[in-house]
Amino acid sequence: MSLLGLYRPGTTWLHRLPASAKLWALLVSSLVVVAVRGPTTALAFLAVAVVVAASSRAGLRLLFRQLRTLLLMAALLAAYTTWARGWERATEVAADLVTLLLLATVLTVTTPVDEVLDAIQRGLEPFRRWGVEPERVGLAFALMVRA
């Protein structure tokens, strides 16, 4: 699984959104998915993530190729959680994990890495007064992604 080379140019509404809006949407949706409890809502969030992924026109083959190892890990986690805490909790945990992975994959499919790094740097600019150097953070992210 690689973040580099995953971007696919397109004209969908997701491709036209700025990187900062997609990053904020991923942050907020991640918080909501983790905070809201229950297998029913977890499956509803997963359904929404599938619709968002379909609207990105990334292709089922590309998405499955990127997520296949993580889907196997989610299945193993669900099996263990079923044994340890019951099927309701297992459904919630696995659906939440797959939802977040799918949304993050949609972000990388619809946004070039350079735009994401630029958005992170611009977002950190207000923290400069407290000693944060956005250029260094951007460089650290770039090195992390490329490693």
Side-chain angles (χ1 to χ4, degrees):
M1 191 169 88
S2 170
L3 292 175
L4 298 176
L6 190 57
Y7 171 69
R8 299 290 182 254
T11 59
T12 66
W13 64 275
L14 287 166
H15 285 86
R16 290 190 302 265
L17 279 175
S20 58
K22 289 185 253 188
L23 284 169
W24 278 110
L26 181 61
L27 174 71
V28 170
S29 62
S30 297
L31 292 173
V32 169
V33 165
V34 171
V36 177
R37 299 281 182 198
T40 307
T41 55
L43 291 173
F45 289 143
L46 180 58
V48 170
V50 168
V51 169
V52 169
S55 70
S56 74
R57 295 191 184 154
L60 188 59
R61 182 179 296 158
L62 173 69
L63 291 173
F64 182 74
R65 189 173 65 232
Q66 291 300 315
L67 296 174
R68 68 177 169 227
T69 305
L70 298 169
L71 290 173
L72 176 63
M73 290 173 36
L76 292 173
L77 178 64
Y80 171 75
T81 308
T82 300
W83 173 75
R85 304 201 54 205
W87 70 268
E88 296 92 355
R89 183 73 175 145
T91 302
E92 178 186 348
V93 168
D96 285 354
L97 180 62
V98 173
T99 298
L100 297 176
L101 292 171
L102 194 55
L103 291 175
T105 302
V106 167
L107 172 76
T108 59
V109 166
T110 61
T111 314
V113 175
D114 293 338
E115 286 184 22
V116 173
L117 295 174
D118 289 343
I120 290 170
Q121 276 186 292
R122 281 192 310 273
L124 291 173
E125 199 62 43
F127 297 101
R128 186 180 291 276
R129 68 179 84 151
W130 291 294
V132 175
E133 295 181 37
E135 296 82 16
R136 280 190 183 203
V137 175
L139 177 62
F141 270 97
L143 290 173
M144 181 181 62
V145 166
R146 297 195 196 307

